[in-house]
Amino acid sequence: MTRKYFGTDGIRGEVGVFPITPDFVLKLGWAAGCVFAREGHSKIIIGKDTRISGYMFESALEAGLSAAGVDVLLTGPMPTPAIAYLTRTFRADAGIVISASHNPYQDNGIKFFSAKGTKLPDEVELAIEAQMDLSMTTVPSGQLGKVRRVEDAAGRYIEYCKGTVNGNLKLKGLRIVLDCANGATYHVAPCVFQELGAEVIEIASSPDGLNINENSGATDVNSLRKVVQAEEADLGIALDGDGDRLIMVAHNSDVVDGDELLYIIAKAMRDQDLLAGGVVGTLMTNFGLEQAFKRESIPFARAKVGDRYVMELLDSKGWDLGGESSGHIVCRQVSSTGDGIVAALQVLKAMADTGSTLAELKKSVVKLPQLMINVAVPKGVDPLGVVAVQSAVAQAEAKLGDTGRVLLRPSGTEPLVRVMVEGEDSVLVKALCASLAEAVEKALSGLVS
């Protein structure tokens, strides 16, 4: 069935524009509460990031859930992966995060976790959407859900993060610049690394409701690179607004992205016989990472773009490690979802175990030149099935041989077709990508004329 509201990562959009409105979120809370309450009296935990609209949507969700007879636990600002963890430890029936992740403050969203701290099954999301079509009601006053605040949520999560690495890991002598993107990790991430012994230099850790992800965090590491260099730090850590993404910066200012971080963690785990099976990437994972895994005899598989699909493939294969180039990394042996702090600790552990710098550990991944062109596509039009486009793709793949890849895919969030080419020859990559984008545009002109 087609979803009306849920995307691959919950419901997200611009604040004040349907469906990211107080009235919709109120009814969403009620609908979710009704679905979860069918198995008996329920308990749901709610967290949020630091954007100003979080206060409004927290209240709306709280009211809707209470009207459905569901008890609510409020954590205040907490990283998305922290809510996944706390949902499990509090034995809650579900967790809800109010966040638009790496988006600017004008956006917000609602995403759910199951009692296991994983994304909701499709049938539960569809049941919530079906409930949204009904008129909202309120349980009798004596059955209204009660609400309380979890005062020690931050402390619980800090101890959990520290517990995901060997108790012998000490970061004493390590000088780290930490970019919290003025987001949900601002009050927990510094504590994690400091309590393990590192000297932490904080940037973008003073949220005001409007500056989340602004020129900072995992989507913009320019400031982090400058501070790492100026402070002569050993490395930099950049998290995004809700704490589920990680990008790092080496002492020499090299950016270490999700692909390279995934390799560092995977090789360290394999060398200690801790890697179950192989590693899951996505269709956008750089071909250079696939080649690096092949050299190390580490199995590798690609999922569709989106952490939801990474998790699905990990589940089906029984593997524990996967992630995206954007820095969303799932260490499933210790976490049920992508967690920037947990992934950073795994990288720091690899550095400590090998005695290597971050710059040295990333050298084994030689990334291939990659270019992507976005082609705007009218809603409901699919140029990828046009014979001329398919022929152009086949010709491009023939020219690349086994030294590169071609990928054309519709965006899951925007009316675009993403045309991506990567290979060893940057000039050829550029020419083929431009040619394929032109083929898509010509196909569109024929379809809409």
Side-chain angles (χ1 to χ4, degrees):
M1 292 179 63
T2 302
R3 294 178 179 84
K4 292 170 62 178
Y5 308 117
F6 284 93
T8 57
D9 194 24
I11 303 169
R12 187 183 302 182
E14 185 178 350
V15 175
V17 178
F18 185 85
I20 309 302
T21 59
D23 54 333
F24 177 88
V25 173
L26 170 69
K27 193 169 186 183
L28 177 66
W30 169 80
C34 290
V35 169
F36 288 110
R38 286 171 187 166
E39 301 302 320
H41 200 68
S42 295
K43 176 172 63 178
I44 293 180
I45 191 164
I46 300 177
K48 61 182 180 180
D49 64 23
T50 57
R51 61 196 79 218
I52 192 169
S53 58
Y55 294 98
M56 176 172 66
F57 294 128
E58 181 184 58
S59 297
L61 279 173
E62 176 188 335
L65 289 165
S66 179
V70 172
D71 291 340
V72 178
L73 302 177
L74 300 175
T75 70
M78 286 295 289
T80 289
I83 300 305
Y85 164 71
L86 293 168
T87 299
R88 300 195 308 272
T89 61
F90 276 99
R91 307 299 191 269
D93 297 282
I96 303 178
V97 181
I98 305 164
S99 174
S101 190
H102 57 282
N103 289 26
Y105 82 92
Q106 295 94 334
D107 294 340
N108 215 330
I110 310 292
K111 48 185 156 185
F112 291 81
F113 287 108
S114 71
K116 296 179 180 178
T118 58
K119 296 291 170 66
L120 288 185
D122 291 347
E123 59 269 22
V124 177
E125 290 187 348
L126 291 169
I128 292 172
E129 291 196 346
Q131 189 72 28
M132 291 284 290
D133 291 334
L134 305 179
S135 297
M136 186 172 170
T137 57
T138 303
V139 298
S141 296
Q143 298 174 24
L144 289 171
K146 297 179 180 179
V147 182
R148 71 179 177 90
R149 190 163 294 278
V150 182
E151 301 295 345
D152 61 344
R156 284 172 177 256
Y157 179 61
I158 290 166
E159 289 305 311
Y160 157 74
C161 288
K162 289 158 53 182
T164 61
V165 289
N166 190 303
N168 296 323
L169 178 64
K170 293 182 174 63
L171 304 180
K172 188 176 174 66
L174 205 62
R175 190 171 166 84
I176 296 173
V177 181
L178 178 61
D179 182 344
C180 295
N182 291 310
T185 63
Y186 78 99
H187 61 317
V188 292
C191 297
V192 171
F193 300 108
Q194 286 168 349
E195 290 180 18
L196 289 173
E199 178 187 352
V200 176
I201 301 160
E202 299 177 38
I203 64 173
S205 60
S206 301
D208 63 8
L210 308 177
N211 59 1
I212 186 170
N213 299 312
E214 184 179 26
N215 302 319
S216 62
T219 55
D220 187 347
V221 296
N222 290 321
S223 295
L224 179 60
R225 294 180 72 192
K226 291 174 183 176
V227 178
V228 167
Q229 203 164 35
E231 294 286 347
E232 298 182 351
D234 295 293
L235 56 93
I237 295 172
L239 305 166
D240 70 337
D242 74 330
D244 65 357
R245 292 190 185 194
L246 167 72
I247 299 292
M248 297 180 74
V249 172
H251 72 280
N252 61 358
S253 294
D254 279 357
V255 176
V256 187
D257 70 6
D259 288 346
E260 294 156 329
L261 295 171
L262 199 56
Y263 174 83
I264 291 169
I265 297 171
K267 187 173 184 303
M269 290 177 64
R270 194 281 310 274
D271 290 348
Q272 296 183 33
D273 293 324
L274 297 174
L275 184 64
V279 180
V280 170
T282 74
L283 295 173
M284 296 305 296
T285 298
N286 193 279
F287 193 54
L289 178 62
E290 185 173 341
Q291 292 176 318
F293 280 140
K294 189 174 182 179
R295 288 192 297 271
E296 293 291 338
S297 299
I298 295 175
F300 175 74
R302 293 180 184 270
K304 291 192 293 185
V305 175
D307 64 295
R308 182 190 194 97
Y309 302 113
V310 171
M311 288 298 297
E312 286 178 359
L313 192 52
L314 286 173
D315 286 337
S316 67
K317 287 184 170 291
W319 294 357
D320 284 340
L321 184 64
E324 302 182 88
S325 309
S326 60
H328 193 112
I329 297 173
V330 181
C331 302
R332 209 175 60 148
Q333 77 280 14
V334 291
S335 179
S336 62
T337 189
D339 190 318
I341 297 174
V342 167
L345 289 173
Q346 294 294 319
V347 174
L348 294 174
K349 182 178 182 297
M351 291 173 58
D353 290 344
T354 61
S356 303
T357 66
L358 184 58
E360 290 168 341
L361 290 177
K362 71 163 276 187
K363 281 182 179 178
S364 295
V365 181
V366 181
K367 296 178 69 178
L368 272 61
Q370 185 184 89
L371 181 64
M372 185 164 66
I373 297 176
N374 292 323
V375 180
V377 177
K379 188 175 181 179
V381 178
D382 178 18
L384 302 187
V386 175
V387 173
V389 173
Q390 295 174 345
S391 175
V393 169
Q395 292 174 28
E397 289 176 335
K399 289 181 180 178
L400 287 169
D402 59 1
T403 65
R405 290 192 309 134
V406 172
L407 175 67
L408 275 65
R409 68 177 185 91
S411 167
T413 57
E414 301 173 89
L416 301 170
V417 165
R418 304 196 191 279
V419 179
M420 189 276 287
V421 178
E422 61 182 356
E424 295 176 352
D425 184 340
S426 60
V427 175
L428 179 60
V429 165
K430 185 176 181 180
L432 290 177
C433 197
S435 175
L436 287 168
E438 183 179 354
V440 172
E441 288 172 346
K442 283 183 178 179
L444 281 171
S445 64
L447 290 171
V448 300
S449 59

